[in-house]
Amino acid sequence: MNTFINELETIIKQRKNSPSENSYTSSLFQGGLDRILKKIGEEAGEVIIAAKNHDTQELSNEAADLVFHLLILLQEQDLSFEDIISTLKQRHQK
């Protein structure tokens, strides 16, 4: 698995378990599942628009935002990116 994703997951978990007043990530967890899901929806829409605009830089930025917020959602649901990779590997073997 990507080492940076591991590092990012560790930071996200720390923000969840030890909230910081000035942390955007902590504020998402404090806002609860609805707030996290709203951000996922917003970012997914922005990815779609960037792709339709054929703007690779914008798409890269928006995809990064979507992945970041997905990692937050996974942490909220006690899943990891490794769990997702395992699912993809299982599907690939079929």
Side-chain angles (χ1 to χ4, degrees):
M1 175 147 78
N2 186 309
T3 304
F4 181 71
I5 293 291
N6 288 336
E7 291 174 26
L8 194 52
E9 281 187 312
T10 299
I11 293 167
I12 289 169
K13 188 174 187 173
Q14 289 171 346
R15 297 292 191 273
K16 180 182 179 186
N17 295 332
S18 300
S20 170
E21 187 176 311
N22 298 324
S23 168
Y24 170 72
T25 303
S26 293
S27 74
L28 288 173
F29 286 118
Q30 290 170 353
L33 184 59
D34 285 346
R35 180 154 184 229
I36 295 167
L37 294 174
K38 182 179 177 184
K39 286 304 296 180
I40 293 281
E42 288 173 12
E43 299 303 340
E46 291 172 0
V47 165
I48 291 166
I49 292 167
K52 285 187 61 93
N53 289 340
H54 302 285
D55 185 334
T56 56
Q57 183 61 50
E58 181 184 4
L59 179 56
S60 180
N61 287 330
E62 297 304 341
D65 289 346
L66 180 58
V67 169
F68 173 75
H69 288 90
L70 177 60
L71 291 172
I72 292 171
L73 174 61
L74 293 174
Q75 186 61 228
E76 176 66 19
Q77 299 290 305
D78 296 320
L79 290 169
S80 69
F81 200 72
E82 185 61 39
D83 295 322
I84 306 312
I85 290 171
S86 293
T87 298
L88 290 169
K89 286 179 180 178
Q90 288 171 2
R91 289 179 181 179
H92 182 69
Q93 293 173 354
K94 292 181 181 180

